[in-house]
Amino acid sequence: MRHVREEDLQELSLLDRESFPEEPYPYFVLRQMFDVYPDHLLVLDDGTALMGYVLCGTAPDLSRSWVLGLGITPDERGQGFGRLLMEEALRRLRGLGVREVVLTVAPANKTAILLYENLGFVGEPTLHENYFGPGADRLLMRLRLSRPGFG
């Protein structure tokens, strides 16, 4: 696991399209996320290819960070890589003093919802209909982080 590098962006874009074929980030968005949040874009690299990534966007006052993407290539799913990436991202956010982490997930993505619940995220009771446009409903989930030394 490491920070993404500029030379990884093309491969990251391909990984995102493979992970989310119906709604990938356009290359230019990933490029801008790399420019804005370079310390919050981690990849899993087996030495020959990228296997997954996690991207977080954090408010300057550290009040909240959004998980903007967690993608694992289809061949690597079910091996704990998503958990590994999320745990590391949460560890780093906690170390920065971020107080809350928020994410959205498709309500039909039961595997991701279970992962997030196992990490302590709690879903809001109501579904956000058309969150990403017509028919793109999302469940909003939140995790309160405790600061180091404050339980």
Side-chain angles (χ1 to χ4, degrees):
M1 187 176 318
R2 62 175 173 78
H3 288 105
V4 74
R5 297 184 293 248
E6 188 169 7
E7 58 268 21
D8 295 323
L9 291 176
Q10 189 64 43
E11 186 178 356
L12 178 63
S13 180
L14 294 172
L15 186 159
D16 191 60
R17 274 187 266 157
E18 189 177 357
S19 299
F20 304 103
E22 294 178 11
E23 49 194 25
Y25 280 122
Y27 177 88
F28 79 91
V29 171
L30 289 172
R31 172 64 211 206
Q32 289 174 328
M33 293 295 182
F34 168 77
D35 289 339
V36 174
Y37 302 113
D39 295 333
H40 297 263
L41 181 49
L42 302 174
V43 293
L44 281 177
D45 182 352
D46 70 359
T48 61
L50 299 182
M51 303 181 313
Y53 80 96
V54 63
L55 167 63
C56 299
T58 303
D61 67 357
L62 303 178
S63 61
R64 177 177 297 142
S65 185
W66 281 82
V67 177
L68 302 172
L70 173 66
I72 305 297
T73 59
D75 292 345
E76 303 297 336
R77 291 180 184 159
Q79 298 183 53
F81 294 131
R83 174 179 288 280
L84 183 70
L85 281 163
M86 282 297 297
E87 287 175 343
E88 181 61 18
L90 293 173
R91 184 189 71 75
R92 291 174 185 222
L93 294 171
R94 196 174 274 115
L96 290 172
V98 171
R99 296 185 293 277
E100 178 183 51
V101 181
V102 184
L103 58 84
T104 65
V105 60
N109 192 343
K110 303 300 183 195
T111 302
I113 292 169
L114 183 60
L115 168 65
Y116 299 137
E117 288 175 341
N118 286 335
L119 291 169
F121 284 83
V122 176
E124 290 188 352
T126 56
L127 187 65
H128 291 264
E129 294 182 7
N130 303 316
Y131 188 85
F132 285 137
D137 302 340
R138 290 296 182 268
L139 175 64
L140 193 68
M141 301 184 79
R142 297 176 185 276
L143 173 66
R144 301 257 182 236
L145 295 180
S146 57
R147 294 194 323 236
F150 290 91

